Amino acid sequence: MDKLNVTIDGRAHQVPPEYTILQAAEEMGIEIPTLCHLKDLAPEGACRMCLVEVEGNRKGLVTACTQPCAEGMVVHTGTEQVRESRRFVLDMLLSTHNKDCFSCAKIGVCKLQQYCFEYGVEESTFSGGILPERPEKDDTNPFFTYDPTKCILCRRCQRTCDKIQGRSIISIAERGFNSTITTSFEHPLETTACESCGNCVAACPTGALTSKDNQRYYRSWEVERVRTTCPHCGTGCQMDLLVRNGKVVGSEPAPGPANRGILCVKGRFGSYKFIQSGDRLTHPLIKENGEFRRASWEEAIALIGTKMKAIQKENGDDCVAGFSCSRSPNEDNFIFQKMMRAVFHTNNVDNCARVCHSASVHGLAITLGSGAMTNPIRDITESPEVVLLIGSNPTEAHPVVGAQIRQAVNRGAKLIVVDPRRIDLVDRAELHLQIKAGTNVAFSNGMVHIFLRDGLADMAYIADRTEGFDELSAIVADYTPEKVGEICGINPDDLVKAAHMYAKAEKAPIIYCLGVTEHSTGTEGVMSMSNIAMTVGKLGKAGCGVNPLRGQNNVQGACDMGCMPYHFPGYQKVEDQPIREKFEKAWGVKLSDTIGLMSTQVMPAAAEGTIKGLYIFGEDPVETDANSAHVREALGNLEFLVVQDLFMTETAKYADVILPGISYAEKEGTFTNTERRVQRVRKAVTLQGEMRPDTEIFYDVMEAMGYKCEHLDPAGIMDEIASLTPSFGGISYARLDAEGGLQWPCPTRDHPGTPILHVGKFTRGLGYFYPVHYRAAAELPDAEFPVTMITGRMLYHYNARSMTGRTDGLNEICDSSYIEISSEDAQRIGVSDGEMIRVASRRGEICTIARVGKRVQEGEVFMTFHFPDGNVNELTNSVTDDIARIYEYKVCAVKLAKA
Ligand SMILES: Nc1nc2c(c(=O)[nH]1)N[C@H]1C(S)=C(S)[C@@H](COP(=O)(O)OP(=O)(O)OC[C@H]3O[C@@H](n4cnc5c(=O)[nH]c(N)nc54)[C@H](O)[C@@H]3O)O[C@H]1N2
Ligand SMILES: Nc1nc2c(c(=O)[nH]1)N[C@H]1C(S)=C(S)[C@@H](COP(=O)(O)OP(=O)(O)OC[C@H]3O[C@@H](n4cnc5c(=O)[nH]c(N)nc54)[C@H](O)[C@@H]3O)O[C@H]1N2
Ligand code: SF4
Ligand code: SF4
Ligand code: SF4
Ligand SMILES: [Mo]
């Protein structure tokens, strides 16, 4: 449609017809003051600060945030009448405001303070009147405070919590003059379902909601802001680290493409305390007679060189292996695999994707040709009709995605949850298919059966774009809703309903996570996700796709960078000779054509003695691998173990040499989020100590092993990556800094990146239907171990807690292990909520606290692996999937007793 001509403060401008005066002014760089306005939400016109004069308007002043532009409109934003009305608004607000500005954390950034100064309002003409009745200050949240005496009732916090965070914790008690912002039922914050995301705090224009770290450690004008990427989950939220006197004192949300201005509690409050926690490794350590002693870098690196060379000389190159760090940047991962391949001459290199989404990398590569999330986060959460959420708990594990799914549901999307537990999103779901853990393939085959039976399949799409459908359709013929209902323990009618809802929706993404992958049939589970989507033609389309939410902040990147035993960077195969020659030429060495061992094969090989040397960069398998006893045995049996980490982890205790690396806040780099978006990580601080950038350490080890190389900085390493990796060919720091992030494939300098995969044609050519039968989990409950243990995550802690465990507020919320158990099972063993339970499997035994409730069904229990007191990995089964060799973390058999 044609643009409209408007004139604001004497300047002419053209704007789209849907623009408000506020938007037009903003585009022209004319500032109109606002207090209640929130950019992403519908305007309210409540605070009346944005009043402006429109020529010819008889109704007087209008609110710029709600008034649409009109052809020929002439607007004045600063007339005396306008200024006077704004002064009146401020005068009123100030009359009940606590003006204790000196002690207020928001001094200098408070909008009320700023506008009062601008409009010359020093004292309220209404001062001295009665003050409204207000609740007590609420100090109960570990991270922030609500002070009602500084609240101007703009409702930005309430609308943020309601409409953006989708939580509705904050409400307004309507009592005229005494109106106040409070929680539902006016309970203290800590007793509500508030998840401490702090997004309301970020939205508050005054000192009413302020973070405790802001109160204690900094004032806004003292901090330098460093734009970076969150170091926790794969959502890839953009944030600013706040730096004061060389210390990171806080973080604030930034407007990134995935997070769009919000963070979860870990990004907001859990991403900086660990940096300066006081227990960082600060210098190399060498173990002598069972004790660690301080060593110099020269000594530690030289020891690694001599030891590794000797071990390899005696046992061959492939007797050593390396695990790379999915928490650290692409550049570190690239150099790590280069070191393993070019210098240790082995492809025995892997990363934690092995125990996480390796099944996705394999399964999606086999069926679609690319082992990555097909569609961007925004594309699948903005306006889907149906979301099929399978084995993914995003409100805890990818909370910003979780919030976006809540928003979608509020806008009318229908949610189908397929999960053995009543996860939080079940409350918003149209359907909950509470399948038994380990039965995803039966569920998927049942879906495809119904698509065919009820004429819902897209036969034209199947014919044009796929192959192998006949074989699959022969298999699924058996998977009637009744049979699947039996296997999965669900009502067959619900399955039929789910199949119809999903198939008939135009925009319907599958979002899945570890509930699908961490099984002895994990890769088959993933391939059956492709089967569901391809049968109804939902791949290569906006708002659809098969979308694994990748776990770690840079696990996508660690895989992309070739930290896998069969791939060079960019999934280029090591057994492909021309590819190998390209890398040989670039690196000036002969490279091995033998596919390496996966990390879950390295552990048994170490226990058997065929792997003798191991280099673990930023992983803690003693805590996080399945069957901890087996890991301890494997590590204990090594001849030489190097651990490069930030902290003295349980794994590091087994090391012969420990090298101190540096964290994301201390280095330049890039992380690749779950939607294949490469985003910058920027150095915010330099700490005291001898820690070194991880890439510098690798370069030194390479030299000690006899390989001379130029020490490139991170931008230079990215150029090396681009030169060798076609899908990264167009990525450089200059572009990332200018454009803010690029989604691979991005093959050339002028390529914009690829938001949606498989449009028009699959990466593989034809999509492949993998014919797959349901097989039960490896260890089912029996008379001796009658209960199924499911494991996973909770919101406030992250993996082995190297970061979240060093944030006091998070520990205040939860600091010990627990087991979710049904009331039926609790009653059977005679325990009540809060009592101790002894849990045993064939591999070990732990004690933990009972959380009795309705989250799990009878016969199933759930634990997280975050806590050292009662780590569930003492119990889990290290049996692996046949293809991706991922552990079956999600199912093992246990017995329970009152402790
Ligand atoms: N707060 C927090 N966030 C994290 C992490 C963390 O430790 N803490 N870790 C990050 C990492 S590394 C990863 S990989 C992701 C993981 O993110 P998710 O995979 O979403 O997390 P999980 O809790 O492991 O498992 C998800 C769900 O799978 C369900 N499930 C278990 N078995 C089955 C099954 O057989 N079928 C189905 N359909 N569902 C099943 C569980 O009940 C659980 O609700 O989270 C990332 N984000
Ligand atoms: N029972 C059970 N167990 C599980 C799972 C489950 O669902 N159930 N999930 C599995 C999954 S999905 C995953 S991904 C794994 C995670 O397993 P891990 O990768 O072992 O867990 P993290 O705690 O993330 O360990 C990362 C380590 O890297 C260090 N680090 C972080 N950044 C840097 C850096 O820049 N440089 C250096 N040198 N070190 C750094 C940290 O200090 C930390 O010690 O756990 C698995 N374990
Ligand atoms: S911290 Fe988050 S969940 Fe809690 S009240 Fe604020 S916006 Fe709502
Ligand atoms: S607490 Fe802050 S954001 Fe909420 S209504 Fe009061 S002033 Fe506005
Ligand atoms: S959702 Fe993930 S990336 Fe975003 S702030 Fe939370 S932990 Fe960080
Ligand atoms: Mo993971």
Side-chain angles (χ1 to χ4, degrees), residues 356 393 397 419 421 438 440 514 793-795 797 799 890:
C356 176
N393 182 15
D419 199 299
R421 295 188 304 142
N440 297 309
L514 304 186
R793 299 163 163 74
M794 58 105 76
L795 172 63
H797 285 287
N799 293 354
K890 292 290 183 259

Side-chain angles (χ1 to χ4, degrees), residues 319-331:
C319 76
V320 303
F323 300 164
S324 196
C325 179
S326 304
R327 307 297 296 277
S328 74
N330 285 319
E331 294 71 9

Side-chain angles (χ1 to χ4, degrees), residues 3 34 120 130 185 202 337 402 457 589 685 727 776 830 891:
K3 289 199 163 186
T34 60
I130 327 159
F185 308 111
Q337 60 86 40
V589 282
V685 287
S727 55
V891 182

Side-chain angles (χ1 to χ4, degrees), residues 151-353:
C151 175
I152 58 169
L153 291 171
C154 67
R155 294 179 50 238
R156 284 167 60 102
C157 56
Q158 186 210 356
R159 285 184 294 141
T160 299
C161 187
D162 202 28
K163 299 262 169 10
I164 295 174
Q165 189 61 16
R167 275 294 178 214
S168 313
I169 304 300
I170 303 175
S171 60
I172 191 154
E174 298 281 7
R175 284 178 306 209
F177 178 65
N178 289 332
S179 309
T180 174
I181 284 289
T182 173
T183 59
S184 320
F185 308 111
E186 301 181 34
H187 291 319
L189 265 165
E190 69 173 349
T191 64
T192 67
C194 167
E195 49 196 8
S196 298
C197 66
N199 292 320
C200 54
V201 179
C204 181
T206 70
L209 281 165
T210 50
S211 97
K212 290 183 176 174
D213 284 343
N214 187 177
Q215 293 161 28
R216 285 184 210 125
Y217 301 122
Y218 65 93
R219 293 293 174 261
S220 67
W221 63 84
E222 302 173 307
V223 295
E224 183 203 342
R225 288 182 157 66
V226 181
R227 180 65 47 89
T228 193
T229 305
C230 175
H232 288 108
C233 85
T235 306
C237 296
Q238 294 300 290
M239 59 187 209
D240 287 339
L241 286 179
L242 310 182
V243 184
R244 177 175 184 260
N245 292 341
K247 263 185 93 165
V248 187
V249 290
S251 81
E252 282 179 355
N259 65 313
R260 300 163 66 196
I262 64 172
L263 291 175
C264 82
V265 59
K266 292 182 296 300
R268 177 76 204 241
F269 299 112
S271 58
Y272 52 94
K273 288 277 163 74
F274 80 92
I275 302 165
Q276 304 114 164
S277 59
D279 59 349
R280 285 276 299 273
L281 294 166
T282 52
H283 44 72
L285 296 164
I286 290 177
K287 196 181 268 167
E288 254 169 25
N289 310 317
E291 298 278 329
F292 286 111
R293 67 158 176 87
R294 184 175 182 148
S296 70
W297 276 105
E298 293 70 32
E299 199 185 359
I301 299 277
L303 180 65
I304 295 171
T306 14
K307 271 292 198 179
M308 287 295 205
K309 271 192 259 179
I311 292 175
Q312 286 191 306
K313 192 161 175 214
E314 201 179 319
N315 307 283
D317 289 337
D318 288 331
C319 76
V320 303
F323 300 164
S324 196
C325 179
S326 304
R327 307 297 296 277
S328 74
N330 285 319
E331 294 71 9
D332 296 12
N333 278 282
F334 179 83
I335 299 299
F336 186 80
Q337 60 86 40
K338 177 174 177 178
M339 171 181 82
M340 292 311 299
R341 294 197 154 102
V343 180
F344 289 101
H345 309 293
T346 181
N347 287 313
N348 291 342
V349 55
D350 211 348
N351 77 91
C352 79

